[in-house]
């Protein structure tokens, strides 16, 4: 990634121009940086937060000066958008990964008159300016630390939403979370909010295990310790198995282990990106006899306009301290920030602009 000067057209129709103050770096940005097919060069970034500078003529809810968190984009008109499940928008690809506006393949970004690919997740927020839409911008109070709020728009709502929306974890029940990056750690905090009785974090990184215990995990297991059988440990600390499991790793052998430790009628949520072509080996009769459910989850089944304000309320109450996951970097150090999450030293880097 390199920092360069480009030009921006004014926002049109339902678009808004946002002066970005902070953007989280999400694993998905790095997957696209590393060759997942999008037109290049492109402005990535999809966890932006900033101040509205101007609005298009059809915008009615937002005005210049508003503080906003940007989330993923969606059409607003398909059956899933109408049901309040915009992450499963029938046109999600066009609206988030095509590198351009879905209607006419244009973008608001250019250099020397040549169009620059953008509109990534309807924002392309690795930039001092982002052109987003009223639909994927969530207004927040002005007294909040705006530069830290961007990750609520993707990684944090994914983990928290998996627990509070998708699995709807019940008080007193048991949950295991495999992997405690941003998504897994947000799931741990949300499980505490849901008053789960047993919250097990499975994580090889010692510092992350310690933080998971501080943020709500009742137990933390190191899966790389060579003297343990992971499934046996999970059954031991949960008293026989767990009602819910969340995988954030995308690793097939971990997912198979997650299925194995579920109690009858248990639910598994899949949140991790697996390697291309990865497959699962599952005993189907075993699944049926135990009534196991498996759900692949995008963006925590969140409707960001409703769920992000809920997470901010929990944060204000002191019950969702997501800022503990964040380390900030100057914008010019965006490559160092990306490296810090890839080598595991930082959970959620945020570049401050
Ligand atoms: Zn839609
Ligand atoms: Zn993301």
């Amino acid at each position: 990634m390199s920092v360069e000067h480009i030009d921006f057209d004014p926002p049109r129709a339902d678009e808004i121009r946002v002066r970005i103050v902070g953007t989280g770096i999400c694993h998905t940005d790095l997957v696209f940086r590393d060759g997942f097919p999008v037109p290049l060069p492109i402005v990535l970034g999809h966890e932006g937060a900033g101040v509205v500078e101007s609005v298009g003529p059809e915008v009615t809810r937002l005005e210049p000066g508003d503080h906003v968190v940007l989330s993923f984009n969606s059409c607003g008109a398909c059956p899933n958008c109408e049901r309040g499940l915009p992450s499963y928008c029938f046109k999600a690809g066009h609206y988030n990964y095509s590198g351009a506006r879905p209607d006419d393949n244009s973008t608001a970004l250019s250099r020397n008159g040549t169009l620059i690919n953008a509109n990534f997740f309807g924002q392309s927020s690795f930039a001092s300016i982002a052109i987003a839409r009223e639909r994927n911008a969530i207004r927040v109070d002005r007294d909040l630390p705006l530069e830290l709020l961007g990750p609520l728009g993707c990684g944090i709502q994914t983990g928290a939403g998996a627990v509070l929306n998708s699995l709807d974890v019940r008080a007193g029940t048991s949950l295991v979370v495999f992997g405690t990056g941003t998504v897994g750690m947000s799931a741990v905090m949300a499980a505490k909010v849901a008053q789960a009785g047993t919250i097990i974090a499975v994580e090889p990184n010692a510092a992350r295990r310690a933080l998971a215990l501080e943020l709500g995990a009742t137990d933390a297991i190191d899966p790389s310790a060579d003297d343990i059988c992971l499934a046996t440990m999970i059954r031991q600390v949960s008293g026989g198995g767990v009602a819910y499991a969340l995988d954030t790793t995308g690793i097939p052998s971990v997912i198979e282990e997650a299925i194995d430790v579920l109690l009858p009628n248990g639910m598994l949520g899949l949140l991790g990106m697996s390697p291309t072509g990865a497959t699962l080996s599952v005993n189907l009769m075993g699944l049926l006899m135990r009534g196991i459910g498996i759900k692949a989850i995008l963006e925590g089944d969140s409707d960001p306009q409703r769920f992000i304000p809920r997470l901010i309320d929990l944060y204000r109450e002191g019950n969702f301290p997501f800022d503990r996951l964040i380390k900030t970097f100057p914008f010019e150090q965006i490559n160092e920030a990306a490296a810090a999450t890839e080598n595991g030293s930082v959970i959620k880097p945020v570049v401050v602009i």
Side-chain angles (χ1 to χ4, degrees):
M1 293 182 278
S2 63
V3 179
E4 304 192 18
H5 287 276
I6 54 174
D7 301 315
F8 288 81
D9 292 341
R12 65 186 200 186
D14 64 348
E15 291 178 343
I16 59 173
R17 174 182 163 116
V18 180
R19 178 172 57 80
I20 296 293
V21 301
T23 302
I25 298 180
C26 177
H27 181 62
T28 306
D29 291 307
L30 306 180
V31 169
F32 279 83
R33 178 200 64 183
D34 294 342
F36 202 85
V38 281
L40 298 174
I42 189 170
V43 180
L44 297 173
H46 65 285
E47 292 186 346
V51 181
V52 176
E53 284 193 335
S54 60
V55 302
E58 292 170 18
V59 170
T60 56
R61 274 189 310 104
L62 296 172
E63 56 184 31
D66 280 344
H67 289 194
V68 289
V69 172
L70 304 179
S71 191
F72 62 91
N73 202 3
S74 57
C75 81
C78 74
N80 283 348
C81 282
E82 286 190 340
R83 281 179 62 199
L85 292 169
S87 61
Y88 307 105
C89 175
F90 285 15
K91 297 177 182 167
H94 277 105
Y95 275 78
N96 291 283
Y97 325 120
S98 68
R101 293 182 177 110
D103 50 353
D104 64 358
N105 278 325
S106 68
T107 76
L109 284 58
S110 63
R111 183 170 49 195
N112 303 326
T114 304
L115 177 144
I116 301 281
N117 300 300
N119 207 44
F120 189 60
F121 281 74
Q123 52 180 289
S124 287
S125 52
F126 288 160
S128 52
I129 300 292
I131 302 294
R133 291 173 68 215
E134 182 174 44
R135 178 167 170 78
N136 68 321
I138 296 88
R139 184 170 46 215
V140 296
D141 290 341
R142 296 188 188 191
D143 64 324
L144 292 160
L146 185 59
E147 72 278 8
L148 303 183
L149 301 186
L152 291 170
C154 186
I156 292 173
Q157 78 175 348
T158 295
V163 168
L164 298 173
N165 300 326
S166 320
L167 299 181
D168 193 13
V169 167
R170 301 300 161 114
T173 57
S174 50
L175 166 78
V176 60
V177 179
F178 294 87
T180 53
T182 301
V183 172
M185 211 67 92
S186 301
V188 166
M189 289 189 288
K192 187 181 178 195
V193 168
Q195 300 178 315
T198 302
I199 305 167
I200 305 168
V202 177
E203 168 62 57
N205 179 314
R208 291 186 182 188
R209 285 199 303 278
L211 184 60
L213 288 168
E214 276 185 56
L215 295 180
T218 56
D219 302 271
I221 300 175
D222 177 4
S224 61
D226 38 298
D227 56 339
I228 67 158
C229 165
L230 183 57
T232 305
M233 281 287 284
I234 293 170
R235 287 198 189 90
Q236 241 168 41
V237 297
S238 62
V242 291
Y244 307 97
L246 278 177
D247 175 72
T248 71
T249 72
I251 302 168
S253 61
V254 174
I255 295 168
E256 287 157 17
E257 195 125 38
I259 293 169
D260 196 36
V261 298
L262 284 170
L263 291 167
N265 200 36
M267 264 309 280
L268 166 65
L270 300 179
L271 302 169
M273 270 192 159
S274 298
T276 308
T279 57
L280 272 186
S281 170
V282 179
N283 179 332
L284 290 172
M285 185 57 98
L287 274 193
L288 178 70
M289 298 309 289
R290 291 157 60 220
I292 299 299
I294 302 176
K295 173 80 173 84
I297 300 166
L298 287 177
E299 300 285 350
D301 291 344
S302 308
D303 176 351
Q305 294 290 353
R306 288 186 312 182
F307 194 59
I308 289 175
R310 183 177 170 199
L311 294 179
I312 289 174
D313 285 347
L314 289 167
Y315 166 71
R316 281 193 188 280
E317 294 160 8
N319 293 322
F320 192 73
F322 68 88
D323 52 338
R324 299 278 310 272
L325 314 183
I326 292 173
K327 181 172 191 290
T328 59
F329 293 77
F331 188 30
E332 296 69 28
Q333 290 178 19
I334 189 166
N335 290 305
E336 288 85 344
T341 182
E342 290 179 297
N343 69 27
S345 61
V346 172
I347 295 178
K348 172 56 73 179
V350 167
V351 290
V352 174
I353 302 174

